[in-house]
Amino acid sequence: MTSSAEFSGIICPSITITKDDGDIDYERWGQHLDHLIEAGINGVLVFGSIGEFYAFPLDVKKQAVDFVAKHVAGRIKVFAGVGDTNLNNVIDFARAVEASGVDALVVVSPYYFGPTAGGAKAYFGAVAEATNLPVILYNFPPRTGSDLTPELVAELAAAHPNIVGIKDTVDTISHTRKVIRAVKAVNPRFAVFSGFDEYYLVNRVSGGDGVICGMTNVEPETFVTLHHAYEAGDYGTAIEAAERISHLMALYDQTDLFISAIKGAVKAKGLNISTLIREPAVQLTAQQYEAIKAILK
């Protein structure tokens, strides 16, 4: 069964590839993007959590999104993560990436002071009204301190026609299932993505539209196989791919911060990148890298 949502399938929240000094390595990032595209993913998210959006200055992020949009050149969808605790920064960034030609914005809830439902409606509403782009909400309660409830998501979708999707990074499918039921009643083409790699199948069975998840950086082909097999009704192949993804989930437990694990795994797969993550951070160790390589076998 294919999705009828405006956006769907396998979206990769790309790592932001840097040199050892922390400056962006555009050459290797371009190679990584080309690999994702050749593998057949449906879109890429620049400056999601795994892209270290919180750690780069706004001017650098604007330049980076412009690079990605131009490099991808329409081959797949490009989403730009514009989240910030400062609404003016979000709107500034949103307008810049709109000029760069991205396909949609991804906006995480403001963090530290988790907003009430009223605060969230005002925040996301202001972003939606400041742009002509489609807006995808990003719900990550353990990091933001607040939850976008099913009722709140449905209210936002009803009030703002350009709020057209959500990445629900909640480690229980029941939350995502309730979001799907609530928001699809308002807009049947509203895209509901799970933020956890191993939730693709249960997301789709629940009426959702795919995943936006970090392991797609490592084995995009496995996720594409899963997606195509599910939509073709080839459930044997889908289960095999899902079993591989379940095995790979152990990667996330190998490092202090999951971003290091994904960068290490991308390197182990053959792209000679720096595994640096921007401070404050505990960097990948040689022992952790060996454990990552063993999991990937």
Side-chain angles (χ1 to χ4, degrees):
M1 180 183 295
T2 59
S3 167
S4 62
E6 182 171 354
F7 300 109
S8 63
I10 305 301
I11 311 299
C12 176
S14 177
I15 53 174
T16 303
I17 298 176
T18 68
K19 303 172 185 175
D20 286 335
D21 62 5
D23 289 342
I24 293 178
D25 186 340
Y26 286 108
E27 180 181 356
R28 285 183 175 81
W29 199 6
Q31 292 171 1
H32 182 58
L33 293 167
D34 288 340
H35 174 216
L36 298 175
I37 294 166
E38 289 161 8
I41 66 164
N42 302 99
V44 64
L45 166 59
V46 190
F47 293 121
S49 296
I50 211 161
E52 302 171 77
F53 78 91
Y54 52 84
F56 287 91
L58 185 55
D59 61 334
V60 173
K61 292 197 287 186
K62 289 178 181 179
Q63 293 167 11
V65 171
D66 194 61
F67 160 77
V68 173
K70 286 180 171 57
H71 186 88
V72 169
R75 290 179 287 171
I76 56 173
K77 300 295 185 184
V78 176
F79 301 163
V82 297
D84 198 295
T85 55
N86 183 313
L87 180 59
N88 290 333
N89 286 347
V90 176
I91 292 173
D92 180 10
F93 196 8
R95 288 172 175 161
V97 301
E98 184 170 351
S100 293
V102 305
D103 297 286
L105 307 178
V106 175
V107 188
V108 72
S109 300
Y111 39 94
Y112 189 71
F113 286 116
T116 62
K121 282 189 272 190
Y123 179 84
F124 288 112
V127 177
E129 291 171 7
T131 182
N132 293 315
L133 287 171
V135 174
I136 297 172
L137 310 173
Y138 182 7
N139 188 36
F140 199 173
R143 302 287 175 173
T144 64
S146 64
D147 179 43
L148 299 181
T149 65
E151 297 77 17
L152 176 56
V153 176
E155 288 178 24
L156 284 165
H160 304 281
N162 64 327
I163 296 181
V164 299
I166 185 171
K167 177 184 179 183
D168 198 32
T169 306
V170 177
D171 200 7
T172 166
I173 197 61
S174 63
H175 184 283
T176 307
R177 173 178 49 79
K178 291 173 183 177
V179 169
I180 292 166
R181 299 287 169 83
V183 78
K184 297 279 189 181
V186 173
N187 176 6
R189 299 194 68 221
F190 192 97
V192 180
F193 295 96
S194 286
F196 284 95
D197 311 68
E198 57 194 330
Y199 281 4
Y200 174 89
L201 284 178
V202 70
N203 172 285
R204 297 302 308 277
V205 168
S206 301
D209 303 286
V211 289
I212 304 176
C213 61
M215 206 80 71
T216 53
N217 285 279
V218 180
E219 285 194 9
E221 300 86 355
T222 302
F223 285 87
V224 171
T225 295
L226 172 59
H227 177 55
H228 289 171
Y230 178 83
E231 297 213 324
D234 180 1
Y235 300 125
T237 299
I239 289 170
E240 287 180 5
E243 287 174 341
R244 172 63 177 173
I245 291 165
S246 181
H247 167 75
L248 291 175
M249 292 301 293
L251 289 170
Y252 285 118
D253 299 324
Q254 304 309 310
T255 56
D256 182 77
L257 186 62
F258 61 92
I259 303 168
S260 288
I262 297 301
K263 286 192 172 184
V266 169
K267 180 176 181 178
K269 279 286 188 176
L271 184 60
N272 187 26
I273 64 170
S274 169
T275 61
L276 179 93
I277 58 175
R278 290 171 71 95
E279 300 292 345
V282 177
Q283 303 298 331
L284 183 70
T285 67
Q287 183 178 6
Q288 289 168 343
Y289 184 58
E290 291 304 313
I292 286 167
K293 288 196 290 187
I295 291 167
L296 290 172
K297 290 180 180 176

